[in-house]
Amino acid sequence: MGDQEDQEGEGGDPPICNHHTATAFSKLAFATAGPPTSLIEHKSAPDASTPVQLLGYMQRIWQRHAEHTPQQRAHRYRHLPPIIPLVLYNGRPDWSVPLSLLECIDADEDLRDLQRNFGYQVRHLRADDRSEPYSEDPVIRAVFRALAAPFADN
């Protein structure tokens, strides 16, 4: 991308592109999702952090796309461009790093399935619904009820 903002990174994040990382990005079209964005990372040795590193780059590309202008921010977050990550590797030993972040998650198959699509759960805390148990654990139940309390209709 090459402008000064890309060189310095944002909010304390390491820069997306610099001479140390040898990372290159295609130009991200901010007006429309358009064609996939290519994310190319060069490695000369297997690096166990690569799946997390690539996800971080992808997150920052998507965030930059959505935050480009205040207008249509919600629309942009719901219409993120596809990103195709590619690692160019020229080291001697065979590449031994997992090819998916999901392969790095240390959990049984049921827990891994919950993370397969980067989905998340929503628990709508309603102060006016006293019948909702929220949890079997009384401490967790108390915390959830306390979080819901500021929005109670009193």
Side-chain angles (χ1 to χ4, degrees):
M1 290 180 174
D3 61 24
Q4 188 64 29
E5 179 181 88
D6 293 333
Q7 295 297 322
E8 294 174 3
E10 295 177 5
D13 289 332
I16 290 178
C17 299
N18 68 30
H19 65 280
H20 297 294
T21 61
T23 303
F25 295 88
S26 69
K27 288 283 185 184
L28 180 59
F30 289 108
T32 62
T37 296
S38 299
L39 167 58
I40 303 171
E41 175 66 16
H42 169 257
K43 297 289 185 187
S44 57
D47 179 354
S49 71
T50 300
V52 173
Q53 180 184 30
L54 292 172
L55 181 64
Y57 291 154
M58 293 168 70
Q59 180 268 332
R60 288 165 58 200
I61 291 169
W62 285 323
Q63 191 166 31
R64 217 175 256 174
H65 167 80
E67 301 286 340
H68 180 63
T69 59
Q71 298 80 12
Q72 299 181 333
R73 180 179 178 270
H75 174 81
R76 289 176 183 273
Y77 269 114
R78 290 184 178 100
H79 296 89
L80 299 171
I83 299 173
I84 310 298
L86 172 65
V87 174
L88 300 178
Y89 173 62
N90 66 342
R92 290 197 185 276
D94 288 341
W95 186 256
S96 57
V97 178
L99 299 178
S100 162
L101 184 61
L102 192 60
E103 293 176 48
C104 299
I105 304 297
D106 186 16
D108 64 33
E109 196 59 33
D110 289 338
L111 280 175
R112 210 175 1 255
D113 279 345
L114 290 173
Q115 299 185 359
R116 191 164 307 281
N117 295 317
F118 295 100
Y120 59 93
Q121 305 294 313
V122 173
R123 186 60 169 214
H124 193 161
L125 306 177
R126 299 179 188 271
D128 57 346
D129 187 359
R130 300 299 295 171
S131 66
E132 175 61 53
Y134 294 125
S135 174
E136 297 296 319
D137 184 301
V139 174
I140 293 174
R141 188 171 47 246
V143 169
F144 282 174
R145 289 199 190 285
L147 289 170
F151 301 100
D153 293 330
N154 291 340

